[in-house]
Amino acid sequence: METFTPRRIVQELDTYIIGQHKAKRMVAIALRNRWRRRQVPEELRDEIAPKNIIMIGPTGVGKTEIARRLAKLAQSPFLKVEASKFTEVGYVGRDVESMIRDLLEIGITMVREEEYEKLRPKAADLAEDRLLDILLPKGSHPKVRRLQAPSPQHEASDDVEIAQRTREKFKKMLRNGRLDDRDVEIETQVSAFPVVEVFSPQGMEEMDINLKDMFSNIFPGKTKRRRVRVPDAMRMLIEEELGKLVDQDKVVQLAKERVEQTGIIFVDELDKIAGSYASHGPDVSREGVQRDLLPIIEGSTVSTKHGVVRTDHILFVAAGAFHVSKPSDLIPELQGRFPLRAELSALTREDFVRILTEPRNALVRQYEELLKTEGVKLEFGEDAIQEIAALAEEVNQRAENIGARRLHTIMEKLLEEISFEAPDMQGVTVRVTREMVRQRLEDIVKSDDLSRYIL
């Protein structure tokens, strides 16, 4: 995290998300504080608790998008969950502790990939040697016939020299890709452990008893001979060598430490478990889910199949629309564990124009690239973009305000005919103008019923 200052984090988020500077700054500071905490003296390090954040704002304004982009910048184990997926202990469903187990698995995968990258050159050399052993089995090279029988020592040394020269020649051919079209027969490890589906009760998604280890002696590993091309064989052998080189116990230990010290969990839809929702529809004890969340966010220990994980220093970023309930409807203890509040503002017409054109993954650019694959050149006029933004704002005001997601529905309806006919329009340039936008969408926008169900 040394290179990602708060200013740099905000700049990176700006390339994908329009506006919401307050939320971006707050998230950037929280992310940088993870690095700062690791630099303070050890006796004070454990006393610095993460400052958890609640992002409040209507749907479609960028709360989840901030979390998605944050995951790429964090360089830490990151998990996004939805609060509405969890149930109180005693109900059928996932318990809240499963998020910590999932986060640990993400951490293990992250650390394992880093170890693989470090050891890949060594694994490639070992795999290359194994592949050469398959291509040139010992004793396969022809012996040199001589008119006068040489001594056994000379014959042995000549055979070794010929074998080495042949092996070097094949190694160069292998590296240059001249053997890529050749088939080889290799042995790969296959699991002899039978497939077993375990339907476990609440809270037992991961049992501490590892059935695979328990039955490893009963079902020993087997090898299977496969005939594959040389590049595929090389890839499979590299993966097999990496599995042998990586110390799995070290990977788990590093992953646990990284999860405990720098892990981040994004809890979306937090408002769906607030008290005001209790009177609408079936209630799976939303307040009970809050009570179960509380000890994890405050700091507790969670048992996993890889050992115990402490949650004291995991950063929690929550988000919710809170258009029916309010943050004050959460239980007071949970409110206190989210000291930072960031309000995200509703999007305006100017924001819609910027969303259509400015981000690296701008919606206009996406459609231009999609239709380019069919040989159709799509051009959007400035007046057309202004009209699309105006229509999005109008429909959001008259129907439900779904923020930037409204742009997706309008763009799909606007380009529906072009997308359908594109395979037969190769070489055609289509220019989208204000008149075209009005012609195709005006009737739908004017009718409340149509706009409510189509846009």
Side-chain angles (χ1 to χ4, degrees), residues 235-260:
R235 178 180 50 78
M236 293 163 67
L237 291 173
I238 288 175
E239 294 299 322
E240 198 172 310
E241 291 299 327
L242 283 172
K244 296 176 184 177
L245 291 172
V246 171
D247 184 349
Q248 297 299 334
D249 293 334
K250 177 186 174 185
V251 167
V252 171
Q253 188 60 37
L254 289 174
K256 280 177 60 180
E257 182 179 344
R258 190 175 295 188
V259 165
E260 291 178 346

Side-chain angles (χ1 to χ4, degrees), residues 197-235:
E197 289 190 14
V198 179
F199 296 93
S200 57
Q202 164 74 23
M204 291 186 64
E205 287 95 338
E206 295 187 16
M207 294 181 290
D208 289 336
I209 301 173
N210 192 328
L211 293 177
K212 188 175 286 189
D213 291 343
M214 190 169 69
F215 288 104
S216 60
N217 293 328
I218 302 176
F219 301 100
K222 294 182 179 180
T223 58
K224 179 182 178 181
R225 299 190 71 84
R226 298 179 59 185
R227 194 164 193 83
V228 294
R229 290 292 177 95
V230 166
D232 296 328
M234 188 69 178
R235 178 180 50 78

